[in-house]
Amino acid sequence: MADGAGMAAETERMIERDGAKEPESAASGGETRKEMRVVLLTGFGGLNKLRVAKKAMPEPQEGEVKIRVKACGLNFLDLMVRQGNIDNPPKTPLVPGFECSGIVEAMGENTQGFEIGDRVMAFVNYSAWAEVVCTPLDFVYKIPDDMTFIEAAAFSMNFVAAYMMLFEVAALREGMSVLVHSAGGGVGQAVAQLCSTVSNVTVFGTASPFKHEAIKDSVTHLFDRNIDYVPEVKKISPEGVDIVLDCLCGENTGKGLGLLKPLGTYILYGSSNMVTGETKSFFSFAKSWWQVEKVNPIKLYEENKVMAGFSLLNLLFKQGGCKPVRSAVEKLFSLYNQKKIKPLVDSLWALEEVKEAMQRIHDRGNIGKLILDVEKPPTPLVTVTLYSFKVK
């Protein structure tokens, strides 16, 4: 109660401080540059490192698209970025965020395929949590007519990652079985929906107990994330599973490999077990990696098992994977238009409420995706807290 009230009070201070009109920044030659609101990460650490600020609005360079942002996705990776809990973190201050949706407002030179007014979703190499972003056209996609901006912001990272892991890396086919951790999160729910598009696929999921009622119909078998799920899976499927999707790491790596059937595929796509407190913990980092069993390539060969990793952002921004990602997006849009998949949105938050939103992800309290709604007016949580207290 005290923590929630404290963050709510901070939200009110952010609104008062940043809501006041600030002068536009002066550019060279006496011109003025328009400003925009952004979420600014002033340094790596706790929630107090985040604030809403004004920043000069970017203009598109050659090959870039300028987007008036309507909504941004918030992922567990953003929490790890805030803590500096990633390899080679960028310098601060920075604007976080890797995905957004909105309307094309302008285009740089040699930019074809888009028109002003197009409704799009986009990947951004940081800086997505802002009112305006500029990003290369290779990372921008026109969204279906029926897709809302909120859905688009919940769609890009989660569904593309889920699709590429299941179909491009693990070659999901009829009759297979899949184990997915954090089944109630954005990626977990995307995995469950995509598995339902293939006949006779069995989905084993782990999640916090309070999420079970809400997501029980999306997976075949659901287990408490706090128990040893290995014997529970073996009771149902003694031979194991065909695919393991692991966003936890640590001891789950050895467990996942041990559960694989011959010709099965284990994919690591995150390491959320490294996050325990509000700030980076070297103890949690060391413990997580210490628990990872040493992988013997000879044993993989003898047991006919595949171990893989997947990072969508590295594929896009460091490895030139724009073409396979665009192909996946097109297939996913087709499934959306056929009403076979639909992003599950947990909640909407104003930019000024980013701290409360991040705390919800940290507490693993979300079912589906959290969205920063750029046009949403902030609602200080102190009002909700006081009201809840009266009801009790």
Side-chain angles (χ1 to χ4, degrees):
M1 179 78 72
D3 291 342
M7 282 193 296
E10 176 63 17
T11 297
E12 284 189 317
R13 289 194 291 271
M14 290 169 67
I15 296 167
E16 292 171 358
R17 181 178 66 244
D18 300 308
K21 178 154 180 78
E22 298 184 18
E24 293 181 335
S25 59
S28 59
E31 297 179 357
T32 59
R33 292 185 62 185
K34 293 182 179 179
E35 291 188 326
M36 62 177 181
R37 289 184 307 144
V38 303
V39 174
L40 192 68
L41 180 65
T42 59
F44 298 119
L47 294 169
N48 63 338
K49 300 297 184 180
L50 291 166
R51 67 181 179 90
V52 173
K54 295 289 182 68
K55 191 175 180 181
M57 190 178 296
E59 293 301 329
Q61 303 301 306
E62 183 176 358
E64 288 188 339
V65 178
K66 180 181 179 181
I67 301 169
R68 174 65 61 171
V69 176
K70 297 293 185 180
C72 321
L74 203 160
N75 302 284
F76 202 90
L77 176 61
D78 298 310
L79 190 154
M80 298 184 72
V81 168
R82 190 202 77 214
Q83 293 186 346
N85 215 345
I86 58 173
D87 287 334
N88 301 313
K91 294 182 179 179
T92 57
L94 63 87
V95 178
F98 300 102
E99 60 181 338
C100 64
S101 63
I103 298 173
V104 174
E105 195 168 80
M107 291 164 288
E109 295 182 3
N110 300 320
T111 305
Q112 298 179 346
F114 294 95
E115 296 180 358
I116 294 175
D118 281 345
R119 302 169 68 252
V120 297
M121 73 178 192
F123 293 107
V124 187
N125 195 7
Y126 292 99
S127 298
W129 295 357
E131 290 182 313
V132 173
V133 302
C134 292
T135 192
L137 61 89
D138 285 340
F139 306 143
V140 184
Y141 316 86
K142 295 179 184 177
I143 62 176
D145 293 338
D146 293 337
M147 181 176 281
T148 67
F149 291 120
I150 299 299
E151 287 179 327
F155 193 87
S156 43
M157 282 191 66
N158 291 353
F159 273 89
V160 173
Y163 182 93
M164 297 193 76
M165 287 190 292
L166 286 172
F167 296 103
E168 303 293 339
V169 181
L172 178 66
R173 299 182 300 279
E174 180 179 353
M176 281 187 163
S177 54
V178 179
L179 169 64
V180 59
H181 293 296
S182 299
V187 174
Q189 283 297 290
V191 166
Q193 290 187 34
L194 289 170
C195 285
S196 71
T197 67
V198 181
S199 300
N200 196 31
V201 171
T202 302
V203 180
F204 298 89
T206 68
S208 301
F210 75 90
K211 298 184 181 183
H212 286 200
E213 183 63 28
I215 67 173
K216 64 181 181 181
D217 294 332
S218 65
V219 299
T220 317
H221 304 286
L222 191 56
F223 308 116
D224 183 345
R225 70 184 298 270
N226 300 307
I227 68 169
D228 185 2
Y229 52 86
V230 173
E232 300 303 315
V233 173
K234 286 290 185 74
K235 287 178 185 177
I236 300 167
S237 179
E239 69 276 20
V241 298
D242 296 292
I243 301 169
V244 174
L245 302 180
D246 181 11
C247 61
L248 304 178
C249 198
E251 63 181 355
N252 294 282
T253 299
K255 289 182 177 181
L257 284 170
L259 276 173
L260 283 183
K261 295 178 181 179
L263 303 183
T265 302
Y266 165 92
I267 305 174
L268 180 69
Y269 70 99
S271 52
S272 64
N273 274 350
M274 292 184 185
V275 176
T276 51
E278 184 180 333
T279 57
K280 182 177 180 179
S281 167
F282 289 99
F283 174 77
S284 297
F285 178 87
K287 179 182 177 182
S288 181
W289 283 107
W290 180 261
Q291 290 176 330
V292 176
E293 293 185 12
K294 292 182 179 179
V295 178
N296 185 340
I298 299 299
K299 189 174 181 181
L300 292 176
Y301 149 73
E302 291 174 345
E303 296 181 352
N304 285 300
K305 294 180 178 180
V306 177
M307 186 177 188
F310 183 80
S311 168
L312 176 58
L313 296 179
N314 282 350
L315 181 65
L316 274 172
F317 299 128
K318 296 181 180 180
Q319 299 165 343
C322 297
K323 288 185 178 180
V325 170
R326 185 167 294 277
S327 175
V329 169
E330 291 171 354
K331 292 170 183 174
L332 285 164
F333 282 165
S334 176
L335 290 172
Y336 177 87
N337 288 330
Q338 296 173 54
K339 303 189 184 305
K340 291 184 177 181
I341 58 174
K342 185 179 179 66
L344 176 63
V345 175
D346 174 81
S347 50
L348 306 180
W349 305 80
L351 293 182
E352 291 82 0
E353 297 168 333
V354 65
K355 295 182 182 181
E356 290 88 349
M358 270 206 166
Q359 187 63 50
R360 183 166 176 81
I361 281 191
H362 181 274
D363 295 339
R364 278 77 167 177
N366 57 300
I367 299 175
K369 185 85 165 190
L370 280 81
I371 298 294
L372 294 178
D373 184 345
V374 176
E375 297 181 341
K376 179 182 182 295
T379 306
L381 290 185
V382 66
T383 304
V384 178
T385 303
L386 292 174
Y387 177 77
S388 299
F389 182 78
K390 288 180 180 179
V391 171
K392 291 180 180 179

